[in-house]
Amino acid sequence: MKLSKRYLLRRIWRYRALYIFILPAVVWYVIFCYIPMYGLALGFKEFHFNLSIWDSPWAGMRYFNQFINDRMFWPLLQNTVIISVLKMVIGFPAPIILALMINEVSNKYFKKTIQTVTYLPYFVSWVVCIAVLVKFISPHDGIINNILVNVFHKDAVYFMGEKNWFYPLVLFTDIWKNVGWNSIVYLSALSGIDQQLYEAASIDGAGKWKSMLHITLPNIMPTACILFLLNIGNLLKAGYEQIILLKTPGNSALSMILDTQIIQQGIQQGRYEYATVAGLFQSVIGLILVIIVNKITKKLAEVSLW
Amino acid sequence: MKKKFRQLTGLLLVMILLVSSLSGCQTKDSKTSQDEGDSGQTQNVTATPADTEKNEDVTLKFLMCWNGASSSGMSDSVNSLVAQKIKEATGVSIEIEYITTSEVERLNLMFASGNMPDIVNAPYWGGTNAETVAIKKAAKEGLLLDLKPLIEKYGDNLKSALTTGIAVGYKENDINDPEFEGKQYVLPQQAPATNEDVLNWGGGLYCRKDILDALNIDPASITSADALYDLMKKISEGGFKDINGKDVIPAGAWGDGWDYVEFWRPFRQDRREEFDYIDGKFVYRANNPAVDDRVLYMRKLITEGLFDPECLRQSDTQGKEKMATGRVAIIGNHYFHIRDFMNSTLYKTNPEMQYIAIGPLPWSDGKTNVVEMPDRNGTPVMFLPSTCKNPEAAIKVLNYINSDEGQLLAYYGVEGEQYEMVDGKPRMKQEWLDKYKANPKELQEMGIRSTFTDMICLDKRLSAYGELQPGDAENPDVWYEQAKSVRQIEFLSGYTIKDVTKNYPMKDEISSLIDWNAYRDATERAYFADSDEEALEILEQFRQQLRDGGITEYEKWVTQEMQKPEYADYIY
């Protein structure tokens, strides 16, 4: 035991430069993710403005019961899961496809331009993104409706208010905003593939398509699996900014989700205990899912987080 | 050597990264002191009353906790003309902050974080209203100062505001909530000083006059939901344009649908909040069958393109964009809001697009008068958080602004410069009146008719000055007079049904059920249903949820309680 500890210390000293590199990240997580965890106690306390979280009196499971027994609980959960699953099924492969396409582009300038254009929306806030979208699809003077009305002689459509348009809008904005940024990881994975594999394949007579199928995809699969695992943890978090901004009376049957409930019924109304319990619920379910899926991928694809 | 150098540079880089990533974590104290240093203002904070009596410079932070209030604010509340005069008189400078989030969110955040300004003006509508609940919680938990001894000592001009112009139930249950144990935590604001000062806000529907003229329609002829629908239809077919040449939208509202409720008038009862009164029974608002008719009416308007579907959840900016160009033909709101906004936008270039009151549309029971209480049953309030750095100075400056001199300063500016007294009443000088009519913002920036008027507790403009706005006494605002004639008021005073429903034993359990937003969401969702049947189905589902949550028991309880003789003269 003692020996292995000394060995560990010696190893740390030997690779001290690497450990120092990782230090800021560790410090960041401790300060912003681990220390605030004591705030979870708030979900089981009755918060007083004049007392700290610790000093406020205990309330037991009152807020948890309130949250679970809320008449909106099941519809909210259902809406949240549907949006998350859709984002996962349709939104998840998008950056992989983009990365594969960018990888095939040989003109350097064209490639750089495409990359910059696709990254850009990631750095723009949701408020701005949706404001731009609303302008485009507005029933009054929106460019899309102008084309519909003037070119195709159709009636103007209030896209934001039609529940049939809600999921397409969610997916479209989600992909538009994140696809470029998310493709970076895959691009780096692609650049790490040994070029000799491609050479060997082409000698064996494989074309572009076959090379992609048998070399590229299997090589980036571990990366994809890891990212998928990390995404699973957010299954009950469907993105509050995006959904709150897209929510209108017309689509509210689909757009009421746990995140919007936390903001609107919890934080805005000052029901911090309720908001904490709801947030904790999302995280615990997320953690359980990650553990289960991790087990499954470990067995099936031999890829796992730990 | 080279390796060592590389290691050292690497280490250096890591340290820089570490330091920069932690630089956001400085303590609150150090940040505040830096901010204060940056602002470049003298912050000679004094703590004892003896010091303030010498009128030493004090800067107090005033939070105007009303979303949108910045539009009547000024960009420099410390150096504007009125602010300078206030400082000369009291030694106090007031730094005003405006909010851009919802009021209740800001209040809760402020109380929970303990990061509070020195004076706050916030909504306090009483009862179970969210802002009221937050302020009461803060008061009971010791986050607000008891104003009683302070007003006793330094606030002679504030005393009458504690008793004047506020409804008896509101005074007993909210302003002086029994749980405050005799302490005075909030100071009501905006209540009328005398009965003459009770304001007719002119709330109702307004239509662009040039359109009515072109269609040759008398605004007084719009007296039913059908007449309103016909008018919209004619507007839609009339090919009317806004100032940019775009087709007008027949009907709509400002940000977040404000205040399209005016379109519902034929489908609701006057003055009803939680409960409607049908055949001797008190019925929760969503259970009134007239809601079905309203939903179908609104659905018809939306599907036929007569009502702007976007307006229900549009942002404030989107709403203003439409209003500033005369894009929406019929809007619901109160007179002053429309006038103040249009004066500085649409009317400047297109005075012919004046919005004038149409109707009156009768309520569902056929009445056309609006019942109002002369005494306010909910007001904005001012309060001092416990961290107020100089409570004496705060009350003294409020006391000054509430003096005759201070009120004139806030409404008219400096005597001899902007106004002079004529027969004991202030009259703005012609030069300034012209400026005010041309661009009210210019005077606002000087602090005249700006946020300082939101520190005046009792409104006595009509009784003391004979006019609401400069120039009104000589040249009455004809369109306000017209709006008043459309919206005739009937006065009632006394306790209200709210003073009974607050005693319901299960109030906490049903509070989220009877939340206005839940009701609003359900009915508005029904507007967008694919068919009338589906719309009614959505309503029925909501009513089922209400029943499951115990609304029937609540209705029964209220009906029984209201039959008790002690509540016989309560207003419902």
Side-chain angles (χ1 to χ4, degrees), chain B residues 162-316:
Chain B
L162 300 175
T163 49
T164 314
I166 44 175
V168 54
Y170 175 63
K171 187 159 69 185
E172 286 172 11
N173 300 314
D174 296 306
I175 297 294
N176 303 316
D177 187 319
E179 288 186 50
F180 290 171
E181 294 166 343
K183 294 202 170 74
Q184 185 81 49
Y185 289 116
V186 293
L187 181 61
Q189 192 249 319
Q190 221 182 56
T194 66
N195 270 356
E196 197 187 332
D197 292 295
V198 177
L199 212 53
N200 185 340
W201 289 76
L205 292 178
Y206 287 77
C207 182
R208 243 174 63 185
K209 188 173 176 300
D210 60 325
I211 295 180
L212 285 173
D213 289 346
L215 291 170
N216 200 16
I217 287 177
D218 176 10
S221 68
I222 310 302
T223 51
S224 67
D226 289 339
L228 182 63
Y229 171 77
D230 288 341
L231 173 62
M232 289 183 196
K233 205 81 188 148
K234 282 180 187 151
I235 294 173
S236 161
E237 288 155 3
F240 297 102
K241 306 281 179 198
D242 72 353
I243 59 173
N244 294 328
K246 289 175 184 161
D247 288 340
V248 298
I249 304 164
W254 305 68
D256 200 32
W258 188 51
D259 190 8
Y260 90 103
V261 172
E262 297 292 349
F263 287 91
W264 309 355
R265 196 182 280 207
F267 309 103
R268 60 191 281 251
Q269 297 177 350
D270 183 18
R271 274 209 57 76
R272 306 287 184 231
E273 289 175 22
E274 255 173 47
F275 285 96
D276 285 346
Y277 185 69
I278 304 170
D279 301 332
K281 279 186 186 146
F282 286 91
V283 177
Y284 177 64
R285 58 186 163 210
N287 284 337
N288 185 341
V291 174
D292 296 17
D293 299 333
R294 187 248 296 181
V295 163
L296 296 182
Y297 184 72
M298 289 305 300
R299 200 184 105 70
K300 181 167 78 170
L301 297 185
I302 289 173
T303 40
E304 293 184 18
L306 301 176
F307 186 87
D308 179 11
E310 222 176 21
C311 78
L312 297 174
R313 287 293 183 279
Q314 74 193 353
S315 65
D316 192 39

Side-chain angles (χ1 to χ4, degrees), chain A residues 20 47 49-50 71 140, chain B residues 14 137 141 308 321 327 545:
Chain A
I20 289 173
F47 181 55
F49 287 142
N50 54 338
R71 68 195 162 86
H140 317 294
Chain B
V14 170
K137 179 171 153 76
E141 291 173 6
D308 179 11
E321 243 173 49
R327 189 79 199 272
Q545 284 178 359

